[in-house]
Amino acid sequence: MRLYLLCCVLLLSACGPDPLVVMAPPLQVPADLLRGCAGWTGPVPRNEGQWADAAWAEMRGRYCANGRIETIAEILNPSGPR
């Protein structure tokens, strides 16, 4: 009879609410990192000097964008790349 009572108690202990699942809040990415980086915004280049200025501006814009992407990746994946 004791074994029967013990089995009933064990079965009843399995009946109950599901365990609480703790979820981390979503990570916040600053709004300034979500804006685009400006490249060349001037008129169409006509000579070599303007072409050099345009290329330099585009390079700075791409470095800016890549830096922002790396920063966002560090925020969203703090453990590092997989």
Side-chain angles (χ1 to χ4, degrees):
M1 185 68 169
R2 279 190 240 161
L3 185 59
Y4 174 74
L5 290 174
L6 183 61
C7 289
C8 287
V9 170
L10 289 175
L11 289 174
L12 285 177
S13 68
C15 299
D18 292 333
L20 294 176
V21 177
V22 178
M23 294 178 52
L27 299 171
Q28 298 295 324
V29 176
D32 63 330
L33 292 177
L34 300 177
R35 286 188 308 218
C37 295
W40 175 252
T41 56
V44 176
R46 302 275 183 215
N47 57 32
E48 289 180 15
Q50 291 176 347
W51 277 105
D53 292 341
W56 180 252
E58 284 297 317
M59 185 180 70
R60 281 187 315 207
R62 290 177 190 257
Y63 279 131
C64 170
N66 288 338
R68 288 183 182 181
I69 290 171
E70 289 173 1
T71 304
I72 291 172
E74 288 174 7
I75 291 172
L76 297 179
N77 188 14
S79 62
R82 293 182 203 178

